[in-house]
Amino acid sequence: MSQPPLSYQMKQLEAELHVKLFERKRTGVTLTKAGQLLYERTENLLAFVRSTENEVAKAGKKQVLRIGITPTTVSTIMPCIAAFSRENPDVNYEVRDAITFTLFNYLMEGIIDISVVRTPINLTNVEYLELGREPMIAVFPPLEENREEKKVLLLEDLTGRPLILYRRYEKFIMEAFSRRNLTPDIFCVCDDPRDAMLWVKEGLAAAVFPESMSGMCGSLGIRCLEEKSLETKILLIWKKGKHLSEPVQKFLEVCKK
């Protein structure tokens, strides 16, 4: 589309919604806060439309199970998916891979039917089935001199040394330290655990993660944290009050076994 009709369409959209969506500058066009919100909601709406089109197209042929899975829960849910698939070969899958909070929003907006998530998470508007629990681990540089002194650590053992926290669990971990009246030395808070592993590998700090991330650690030293309040639950959630499709009901039965 050439610029004149594109600019016209943009102005028409702003006029229709009675709000400014675009910041027009010499360096280019950026979204306002309202424009960013519209963009995010539109992405989800289009994803829902595509998902619905696929589901309708397959109606009468194959059923579709729309499921969300976080990167750290794949190994937990795959045995259930494999068992369900063997019992229900007529079911296809539409999988969304994302972090817990994104999948929760997808569930509330109807883009997925069911999702595997990890606590902490607000469970007010969902029903859930607990699939498992796991502790947190402390990850150390490969040449850490005292890494073999203890196989299990207490939170007290982590004070006085720089720590890297995965932002997803920052509040969760900090509250555990606070309950013990401990003040940790937080060296870095990051959004991607893979980046944190590189920092640990360089010897800059130790990291605290859920145990399922141990597969990303390579040669790094790993020790389990003996702290019940830091256990995370892996849950299968679905929207409260929503009618569950036949594939979802059958999948839940397999997971309960």
Side-chain angles (χ1 to χ4, degrees), residues 172-183:
F172 184 51
I173 295 171
M174 292 301 291
E175 286 176 348
F177 275 105
S178 178
R179 282 192 292 269
R180 295 292 187 89
N181 294 316
L182 300 172
T183 303

Side-chain angles (χ1 to χ4, degrees), residues 11-171:
K11 289 176 182 177
Q12 286 291 98
L13 185 59
E14 289 179 317
E16 181 180 347
L17 297 176
H18 306 290
V19 67
K20 187 177 180 181
L21 300 172
F22 308 98
E23 291 285 358
R24 298 164 177 84
K25 303 175 182 178
R26 290 184 179 180
T27 55
V29 178
T30 58
L31 293 174
T32 62
K33 188 174 181 179
Q36 182 64 36
L37 176 62
L38 178 62
Y39 173 72
E40 292 171 359
R41 292 294 175 86
T42 302
E43 273 196 318
N44 289 343
L45 287 170
L46 290 175
F48 181 70
V49 169
R50 287 191 294 270
S51 175
T52 303
E53 288 174 345
N54 291 336
E55 194 170 1
V56 170
K58 291 174 180 176
K61 300 175 185 177
K62 284 203 170 188
Q63 296 175 304
V64 178
L65 179 64
R66 303 181 303 172
I67 184 171
I69 305 175
T70 69
T72 63
T73 59
V74 176
S75 59
T76 300
I77 197 62
M78 279 311 299
C80 297
I81 292 176
F84 173 76
S85 188
R86 284 191 289 269
E87 294 180 14
N88 301 272
D90 59 328
V91 176
N92 284 344
Y93 302 87
E94 185 175 314
V95 179
R96 297 274 171 179
D97 298 294
I99 62 173
T100 287
F101 298 123
T102 299
L103 293 176
F104 182 88
N105 290 334
Y106 284 163
L107 187 72
M108 292 297 103
E109 293 167 6
I111 295 173
I112 55 178
D113 304 310
I114 198 164
S115 184
V116 192
V117 297
R118 187 190 293 276
T119 59
I121 184 175
N122 188 337
L123 299 172
T124 305
N125 297 314
V126 299
E127 296 183 66
Y128 64 90
L129 173 67
E130 185 176 324
L131 300 177
R133 301 185 181 197
E134 67 178 32
M136 288 281 180
I137 57 172
V139 185
F140 299 91
L143 298 179
E144 185 84 22
E145 290 184 5
N146 64 346
R147 70 179 185 180
E148 297 299 333
E149 284 185 6
K150 291 182 179 180
K151 294 298 181 184
V152 176
L153 292 181
L154 303 176
L155 282 180
E156 288 85 343
D157 297 319
L158 295 180
T159 57
R161 65 180 309 148
L163 297 176
I164 300 173
L165 302 184
Y166 181 20
R167 196 181 307 278
R168 162 77 172 90
Y169 300 103
E170 178 186 8
K171 182 180 178 182

